Amino acid sequence: MFTHEEIPIWENEQLLELKNSKKFIDPRNEKLKDHRKGIKSTHYNKECKPARKQDYRLYRTKMKRLMYYEQYDLLYNYKRTSGRLTW
């Protein structure tokens, strides 16, 4: 069936397959599994995206109105916090 030269070559191939079979962990799937188990991560203490968008929308309208009525001394820069809760 196999010759004596083919057997060691095949064994070496099997050893190489075992060495390279390291599976990497997908952090998204791990987080999804934790979420489904009911484990909520506490290190993401952020506002949700719709709340941040609404806050920025209100800021823009307020600043546009101040510019329209030429009240430039009341203008201020929007403080971006990347959604971190700052109060």
Side-chain angles (χ1 to χ4, degrees):
M1 191 188 262
F2 292 109
T3 63
H4 289 291
E5 294 121 14
E6 290 176 338
I7 293 174
I9 293 171
W10 181 79
E11 288 175 350
N12 287 338
E13 286 179 5
Q14 295 299 315
L15 286 173
L16 284 174
E17 284 180 14
L18 287 175
K19 286 181 184 176
N20 294 335
S21 67
K22 181 179 179 184
K23 291 192 175 183
F24 296 100
I25 297 172
D26 186 9
R28 289 182 179 173
N29 285 339
E30 294 298 316
K31 186 168 170 105
L32 182 64
K33 287 177 192 171
D34 289 346
H35 184 73
R36 286 182 179 167
K37 288 177 193 169
I39 302 169
K40 303 256 191 297
S41 55
T42 56
H43 61 280
Y44 289 118
N45 192 12
K46 286 184 149 189
E47 289 178 302
C48 61
K49 187 176 179 181
R52 284 183 289 169
K53 284 180 74 175
Q54 178 65 18
D55 185 43
Y56 188 59
R57 194 175 294 126
L58 290 173
Y59 161 78
R60 281 196 319 242
T61 27
K62 185 176 180 183
M63 293 302 121
K64 283 180 184 175
R65 284 185 187 139
L66 288 173
M67 286 175 60
Y68 179 77
Y69 293 115
E70 299 178 355
Q71 296 176 339
Y72 300 116
D73 52 341
L74 298 176
L75 294 175
Y76 61 91
N77 287 334
Y78 184 70
K79 185 177 180 184
R80 291 194 181 270
T81 58
S82 301
R84 300 278 174 206
L85 300 174
T86 55
W87 62 84

